[in-house]
Amino acid sequence: MTPKPLDPPTAAEWKILKVVFERGACGAREVIGDSEQAHGWSASTVKTLLRRLVEKGHLRTRRVGASFLYRPSRTIHRALRDSADQLLDQVVPGALGPLIQYMVGKSRLTGEELDDLRAFLDEQCADDDGEDDS
């Protein structure tokens, strides 16, 4: 049975998710501290976002004493792929190439990541060239 797709995180929820992904399993206090420092958010705002992420299935909780330990329900790569899939579902014909170019230009890829991307694109082009048109 395939898992039900999760409701996508909002931009604010992604900021909370990033904290939890970076820290691994962590308590609300750590998330609140990081979010207050980075975004100026109050504890109640962060707790609301944590609750929403649990309700949506992006985070799991485990009670530890009087508090909860939060951890991601999936890997960062799976979460990003799911978000990318949702974005790609919205692309109109003719817009995909410019979108990918924008994303590569906007990103901070390392030289090694760019080399990997070039190799991937070369491989894709070679696969396309080898198709039989009959």
Side-chain angles (χ1 to χ4, degrees):
M1 179 153 105
T2 59
K4 178 183 118 180
L6 303 177
D7 287 337
T10 64
E13 290 167 351
W14 261 115
K15 291 176 181 177
I16 298 296
L17 275 175
K18 285 172 70 173
V19 171
V20 178
F21 278 121
E22 289 170 3
R23 286 187 164 272
C26 58
R29 281 189 189 155
E30 288 112 341
V31 180
I32 290 167
D34 289 357
S35 300
E36 282 176 338
Q37 186 176 11
H39 310 294
W41 291 346
S42 69
S44 63
T45 297
V46 174
K47 287 178 183 178
T48 297
L49 293 168
L50 285 167
R51 180 182 46 78
R52 287 181 188 166
L53 287 164
V54 170
E55 289 171 356
K56 288 182 174 184
H58 295 284
L59 294 178
R60 294 186 180 151
T61 60
R62 183 170 53 107
R63 185 175 278 287
V64 178
S67 60
F68 289 99
L69 194 63
Y70 294 89
R71 64 182 171 81
S73 63
R74 57 202 171 144
T75 66
I76 184 66
H77 299 296
R78 178 78 259 159
L80 290 171
R81 281 193 303 263
D82 289 348
S83 288
D85 287 345
Q86 291 166 351
L87 175 61
L88 290 172
D89 286 345
Q90 298 174 33
V91 173
V92 296
L96 185 56
L99 173 63
I100 292 171
Q101 290 172 7
Y102 170 80
M103 292 175 74
V104 169
K106 187 83 172 168
S107 67
R108 291 165 280 186
L109 295 173
T110 64
E112 183 178 339
E113 290 170 326
L114 286 170
D115 290 343
D116 290 345
L117 181 57
R118 280 186 199 97
F120 175 78
L121 292 172
D122 289 344
E123 183 180 301
Q124 294 299 304
C125 290
D127 288 348
D128 286 346
D129 293 342
E131 290 181 355
D132 186 18
D133 291 342
S134 55

